[in-house]
Amino acid sequence: MRSNYVPSPDDGAPIRRGSDGLSVPDHPIIPYIRGDGIGVDITPVMLRVVDAAVEEAFGGGRKIEWLKVLAGDEAIAIDHPELSPAEIEAIPPEERQALYLPDQTLEAIRDYLVAIKGPLTTPVGGGIRSLNVALRKLLDLYACVRPVRHLGTPAPVKRPEDFDVVFFRENTEDVYAGIEWKAGSAEAERVIGWLRDEMGITDRIRFPENCGIGIKPISEEGSKRLVRAAIEYAIKNGRKVVTLVHKGNIMKYTEGAFRDWGYEVGAEYPQVITEEELSERYNGELPEGKVLLNDRIADQFFQQMLLRPREYSVVATMNLNGDYLSDAAAAQVGGLGVAPGANINYETGYAVFEATHGTAPKHAGKDKANPGSLILSAVMMLRYIGWSEAADMIIDAMRKVIASKRVTYDLARQMEGATLLKASEFGEEIVRNL
Ligand code: NAI
């Protein structure tokens, strides 16, 4: 099925991945998905800010050649305007997913490696989990990277500026793998019967009748590639501590194994030392050029995020812990307006950058939603392709704009004396401050 593509830009060239990392031309082609709901409002603002920052930083020598690709409601609206919602719902799930996430979009991301997207609605009708999950799965984007730091937005804690942590959340395993059976189903009964009869588990399922069952796969390969990504990030970005967050005290062979495999990866790096080595060999003082690899039980880490945030810098954790922790951390520094993210496969180089919020349908098309998270996701993207000068400029400008209290509604209502701006006006304020 052909999608109504905007053809490739004439001028650009693809980003490539070589043995020593990404090779980025001066005019890289970067696909973008506008997104549903408020994607209509915030994606154009993000494009405008990024273009202006790149122009300002590189004086016209560099420019992103944006390639619009389709997904979500926009893919249906452009490719299949003839289909009614009822007709779409009647299409079998796999085919329906391909309408919402056309092959050409996936091919474009594969061809050009790096992409950015607005939020996507989970399509109507059963059988499709989420386009975001599908995208992560199809491209094996195993690391969900979420930097959380304070940019001056109102925050619920006393010293939000003390928080500066980059979360590496494993994206492909854990209880999120989607292996579960409904209570009372033949499948659940069968698994419970197998546990009882074949595996001798006779007393650990408290109420075996009418009991839902889920499976938690945590593998050596999946854990190690995630922890490796976190350690490499820390080394490259001069971050001093990598913390493995887990519930290994309870779930020994999944979460505990993640911790153990994490330390095995750490041992491969001469720069990495453990807490034991730190006290035995270095008297508790982290020497220059070293990275401390430690671990914390998840519940304890939740407390320490609030009480001793300065002790943490990079966190590597599994899917479920990472979901809760990174959202709670984002709330700690001011919430959805400052919550960027990326889903990355560091081996293939595929990277899809996106805000962590959804489509906020209530505010769609009103030019009022906060484009901050998507702009910060673009900042991550600029750093990923090595254009940090433009990234730094955007961050500085955003800080200034937030400090001047000229902000979108979500922030304005929490700030005394704020001037309420539309999404597009907020973008223009950032551009003016570059
Ligand atoms: P949501 O993030 O869209 O909205 C939650 C709340 O935050 C709402 O009150 C909304 O008004 C507010 N909000 C979100 N982003 C905002 C922004 N940029 N500026 C100002 N206020 C903002 O989450 P919800 O309502 O659970 O999901 C709506 C849809 O989005 C669903 O279809 C869901 O599947 C999808 N979704 C997509 C994601 C993605 O594409 N990565 C992530 C999360 C949800």
Side-chain angles (χ1 to χ4, degrees), residues 35-36 38 42 117-123 129-133 136 336-337 343 354-363 368-374 408-411 413:
D36 302 325
I38 56 170
I42 62 178
K117 64 174 277 292
L120 293 171
T121 317
T122 299
R129 281 169 66 205
S130 130
L131 297 178
N132 302 300
V133 173
R136 285 170 212 165
L336 288 171
N343 295 295
E354 63 172 345
T356 54
H357 59 69
T359 58
K362 207 169 63 182
H363 304 308
K368 68 181 280 201
N370 186 347
S373 296
L374 189 59
T408 46
Y409 86 96
D410 52 315
L411 298 177
R413 67 184 174 192

Side-chain angles (χ1 to χ4, degrees), residues 73-127:
D73 293 342
E74 196 185 17
I76 300 287
I78 293 182
D79 283 342
H80 299 284
E82 76 287 359
L83 293 177
S84 70
E87 285 170 322
I88 294 170
E89 246 181 279
I91 297 171
E94 234 164 74
E95 273 176 53
R96 191 159 13 104
Q97 176 165 309
L99 298 187
Y100 281 99
L101 192 56
D103 283 346
Q104 290 91 337
T105 295
L106 286 168
E107 274 163 31
I109 300 173
R110 284 202 183 97
D111 283 350
Y112 298 114
L113 286 183
V114 175
I116 187 160
K117 64 174 277 292
L120 293 171
T121 317
T122 299
V124 288

